[in-house]
Amino acid sequence: MNNTVSPALDVNTIRDAFPILQRQVNGHPLVYLDNAATAQKPLSVIDAISDYYKGYNANIHRGIHRMAEEATTAFEATRKTIARFIGAASSDEIIFTRGTTEGINLVAYTWGKQNINKGDEIIISEMEHHSNIVPWQVLCQEKNAVLKIIPVDDNGELSFEIFKKLLTPHTKLVSIVQVSNSLGTVNPVREIIEEAHKAGARVLIDGAQSSVHLDINVQDLDCDFFAFSGHKIYGPTGVGVLYGKKDLLEAMPVFQGGGEMINEVTFKQTTYNELPYKYEAGTPNIADTIALKTAIDFVESIGKDLIREHEVELVKYATRQLEDISGLRIIGKANNKVSLVSFVIDNIHPSDIGTLLDNMGIAVRTGHHCTQPLMKRFDIPGTVRASFAMYNTFEEVDALVAGVHKAVKILL
Amino acid sequence: MNDDKSISEIEQEIIEDFALFDSWEEKYEYIIDLGKKLPPLEEEHKIDENRIRGCQSTVWLIARYDNGKIYYKAESDAVIVKGLVSLLIRVLSGHSPSEILNSKLDFMKEIGMTTHLAQTRSNGLLAMVRQMKNYAIAFSTINSTVDKSL
């Protein structure tokens, strides 16, 4: 690996591994606080992509030549790494997708079509990303099934008691986000999975935000499906993972037809390839999938525990200072919260704050964060969201706080 | 308003106004001030038909056609967008459909605000400009129809 980092979280050394952090934005050093949208990439990940194209670009699985073998080995090494990273029983349970959204859609269009019938119920929550709402809405409309919503309280936490009441013998699926992208809330997915299973329902966990911050063990959690994206864990865009329990993946119908996913094709009938290839039609995103392993190696070389501790300290530090700003309200005050702080300020539109911060070189996200029902629940047009990663510093939080003070002064 | 000045003359005035500012802060303070001074759109007009929904902010736009000229009124829920809306209205309102359709709005680039018209901003501004031009197309059709019937 190109980036060696000492065992204790040494943010300055970590920062050196990320070339983009050197750049200036609008004449200021970049303060990148939009990590929940996408994380920056260490040089080793960028190198892994170009190494593939420079050194062994070949299509995988089919070739007889040397480079095809090298590419296949590297590609499959990522699958093994992911299986270990999330505690899957077998790498056959790791399906490569374009990202979390495609993973959820894959389940909706395969398992969902096969298993959801008229009158069945699917439970999601009020804090879901649109990606974990729309596929189920489409499915429920098509099948005449019912979509039920777990409400969010004023602190941004799910009501577990109401969830238990929503569960009925008709509940076939609970699809829930582990960490909210708008609030930072960590949901009690272990308890949710346990209750859902007691009721005979399957559970899909949206791990888009959680996979980078929390230790994930799908066997220990006993979730049926787990979807996440590579680009939020310092990997490339365009590659994600869907985990599914083997028996479910084997029983589900195919998603897309094409090359790779077949066993034998005649014009009369096609038999399908074994797992995981059954769900991977066509030439996959080879370069980015290979580089995803490098990203996970990088995260693991530093240690998720250390990263999480650092990020939680940043959140606490930012929250404390932001709360001193007159008229500022933190949206999402869950007890168990990671990685981000979302806020609104009285009489100021979030996008105005974002625009002015951008002029100071500070990148935050403003808007509804693809969670419009949640924004409606809090009766706000959106929030300003600062989300943290391993390379963010306390000085950057100071810059954010000073920037917000300045923006408020200009705006009011 | 804008009775004698062409669109490009008004654009030039705005460019000259902005040339006086030394920093981005001064520019934005001016835009925010314009936003605060923009007369609010009557509540009855803040309906879905007049709504241009951006990912970040919302704009409401109405247009009136009078004596060969289009008069716009608009508002936004974000004050910076509102200030930019105010500038766009100052430039385009009170002109004929053909003048409006031919305008390129180059002043936005000159005053360093072109990023706000970029698609990624999704603040509703780009869609508002398109809608302003759509009104111009619609009203020019009415005009020719009226002319023919006379």
Side-chain angles (χ1 to χ4, degrees):
Chain A
M1 224 172 81
N2 295 333
N3 306 296
T4 40
V5 179
S6 64
L9 195 71
D10 172 358
V11 178
N12 285 331
T13 309
I14 288 172
R15 289 183 73 83
D16 289 341
F18 291 82
I20 208 167
L21 299 178
Q22 303 304 316
R23 77 163 278 185
Q24 304 263 314
V25 169
N26 291 322
H28 300 271
L30 167 67
V31 175
Y32 186 76
L33 301 176
D34 194 17
N35 295 286
T38 196
Q40 298 303 340
K41 321 304 173 199
L43 185 62
S44 56
V45 168
I46 300 164
D47 283 345
I49 297 169
S50 67
D51 285 350
Y52 163 75
Y53 285 122
K54 284 191 254 176
Y56 57 104
N57 172 46
N59 210 333
I60 54 169
H61 295 139
R62 289 175 282 271
I64 194 165
H65 56 83
R66 175 62 180 266
M67 290 202 305
E69 192 188 307
E70 287 173 10
T72 304
T73 305
F75 184 88
E76 290 303 325
T78 300
R79 203 187 302 274
K80 287 195 191 98
T81 296
I82 300 282
R84 185 182 45 70
F85 184 67
I86 63 167
S90 152
S91 58
D92 292 348
E93 297 174 320
I94 305 301
I95 314 293
F96 289 121
T97 62
R98 279 188 295 136
T100 311
T101 301
E102 191 177 61
I104 295 171
N105 275 280
L106 192 157
V107 176
Y109 280 89
T110 58
W111 182 89
K113 293 226 175 196
Q114 195 175 50
N115 291 282
I116 300 295
N117 296 302
K118 191 179 172 186
D120 286 345
E121 295 163 2
I122 295 173
I123 299 179
I124 60 172
S125 85
E126 204 170 16
M127 67 169 78
E128 298 309 317
H129 190 281
H130 296 160
S131 295
N132 197 26
I133 300 174
V134 182
W136 308 120
Q137 228 164 23
V138 171
L139 181 68
C140 285
Q141 276 161 10
E142 197 182 307
K143 298 280 191 168
N144 256 320
V146 183
L147 193 61
K148 290 172 140 186
I149 316 295
I150 313 169
V152 168
D153 69 14
D154 289 343
N155 285 330
E157 292 177 327
L158 293 180
S159 165
F160 196 69
E161 289 312 306
I162 296 180
F163 164 64
K164 283 203 281 192
K165 283 181 193 150
L166 291 176
L167 275 170
T168 75
H170 300 291
T171 310
K172 287 283 162 67
L173 178 74
V174 177
S175 192
I176 220 86
V177 71
Q178 189 168 16
V179 169
S180 158
N181 71 311
S182 299
L183 308 170
T185 308
V186 181
N187 287 320
V189 292
R190 181 187 299 277
E191 290 78 6
I192 288 171
I193 293 164
E194 207 179 303
E195 285 300 318
H197 282 171
K198 272 191 225 163
R202 298 291 184 182
V203 183
L204 184 151
I205 300 297
D206 170 354
Q209 298 295 332
S210 64
S211 50
V212 63
H213 302 295
L214 306 179
D215 295 314
I216 307 295
N217 189 307
V218 288
Q219 285 186 87
D220 189 38
L221 282 176
D222 198 27
C223 57
D224 299 287
F225 299 104
F226 187 94
F228 68 101
S229 302
H231 70 98
K232 293 193 204 282
I233 51 173
Y234 310 98
T237 52
V239 58
V241 170
L242 173 70
Y243 158 84
K245 281 181 181 166
K246 200 170 187 174
D247 56 329
L248 291 172
L249 292 177
E250 273 170 350
M252 279 154 49
V254 296
F255 181 41
Q256 293 171 335
E260 187 72 46
M261 54 77 74
I262 53 93
N263 179 26
E264 189 181 12
V265 178
T266 68
F267 283 116
K268 215 167 170 187
Q269 199 193 350
T270 295
T271 54
Y272 303 118
N273 203 340
E274 58 196 12
L275 289 178
Y277 313 112
K278 175 182 167 186
Y279 296 102
E280 293 178 0
T283 297
N285 184 351
I286 303 168
D288 293 322
T289 305
I290 290 170
L292 178 56
K293 178 184 184 295
T294 316
I296 287 169
D297 289 344
F298 182 82
V299 168
E300 290 187 324
S301 75
I302 293 158
K304 263 188 172 178
D305 288 357
L306 283 176
I307 297 170
R308 184 165 57 242
E309 274 169 36
H310 175 66
E311 289 166 345
V312 167
E313 287 308 313
L314 288 171
V315 170
K316 280 189 199 158
Y317 184 64
T319 306
R320 262 200 317 271
Q321 294 192 71
L322 287 168
E323 274 179 333
D324 286 342
I325 296 172
S326 160
L328 187 142
R329 191 153 56 96
I330 304 285
I331 303 295
K333 291 180 164 180
N335 278 326
N336 194 0
K337 186 176 163 179
V338 287
S339 75
L340 66 88
V341 54
S342 235
F343 62 89
V344 292
I345 300 176
D346 289 347
N347 304 315
I348 297 181
H349 195 281
S351 81
D352 289 326
I353 296 172
T355 299
L356 297 179
L357 288 176
D358 177 49
N359 278 281
M360 305 175 217
I362 302 167
V364 293
R365 179 56 61 112
T366 65
H368 51 62
H369 318 297
C370 292
T371 55
Q372 285 179 1
L374 184 65
M375 297 298 114
K376 208 171 163 195
R377 161 40 206 90
F378 283 101
D379 196 23
I380 49 177
T383 73
V384 181
R385 181 188 73 185
S387 53
F388 304 101
M390 61 163 93
Y391 41 67
N392 288 125
T393 65
F394 291 91
E395 290 74 21
E396 288 181 309
V397 174
D398 291 338
L400 168 72
V401 173
V404 174
H405 273 291
K406 185 171 176 172
V408 170
K409 209 172 141 221
I410 294 175
L411 285 160
L412 287 182
Chain B
M1 88 189 202
N2 296 344
D3 275 348
D4 306 319
K5 290 173 195 154
S6 70
I7 285 181
S8 55
E9 280 167 347
I10 302 166
E11 286 190 68
Q12 199 50 46
E13 275 179 10
I14 293 172
I15 292 166
E16 280 161 23
D17 288 347
F18 273 79
L20 299 172
F21 302 130
D22 295 324
S23 64
W24 69 267
E25 287 95 333
E26 285 175 346
K27 267 189 206 176
Y28 275 94
E29 276 165 8
Y30 178 67
I31 290 168
I32 289 160
D33 199 42
L34 289 177
K36 287 178 180 167
K37 284 181 183 152
L38 185 74
L41 197 64
E42 296 78 7
E43 282 304 312
E44 71 210 64
H45 294 307
K46 287 189 178 176
I47 52 174
D48 271 353
E49 289 110 278
N50 299 328
R51 182 175 179 161
I52 299 160
R53 202 195 291 257
C55 212
Q56 301 280 337
S57 50
T58 300
V59 174
W60 292 267
L61 171 74
I62 57 168
R64 178 171 61 86
Y65 190 51
D66 189 5
N67 209 14
K69 288 176 179 175
I70 303 176
Y71 297 90
Y72 297 106
K73 274 183 100 174
E75 204 188 320
S76 172
D77 53 353
V79 73
I80 293 172
V81 175
K82 213 153 107 175
L84 295 166
V85 161
S86 166
L87 286 175
L88 288 163
I89 288 180
R90 180 172 153 199
V91 169
L92 294 180
S93 199
H95 294 281
S96 70
S98 68
E99 280 179 280
I100 290 164
L101 285 170
N102 287 326
S103 64
K104 301 247 185 321
L105 302 175
D106 289 333
F107 81 101
M108 286 290 281
K109 192 179 171 191
E110 295 287 329
I111 65 171
M113 291 293 143
T114 183
T115 52
H116 293 283
L117 282 178
Q119 221 142 20
T120 51
R121 284 280 168 169
S122 323
N123 52 14
L125 262 191
L126 183 69
M128 183 186 90
V129 171
R130 282 202 195 116
Q131 190 57 27
M132 287 172 124
K133 296 208 168 191
N134 284 343
Y135 272 121
I137 293 169
F139 286 134
S140 62
T141 321
I142 291 172
N143 195 20
S144 57
T145 317
V146 172
D147 282 344
K148 271 177 212 159
S149 66
L150 288 172

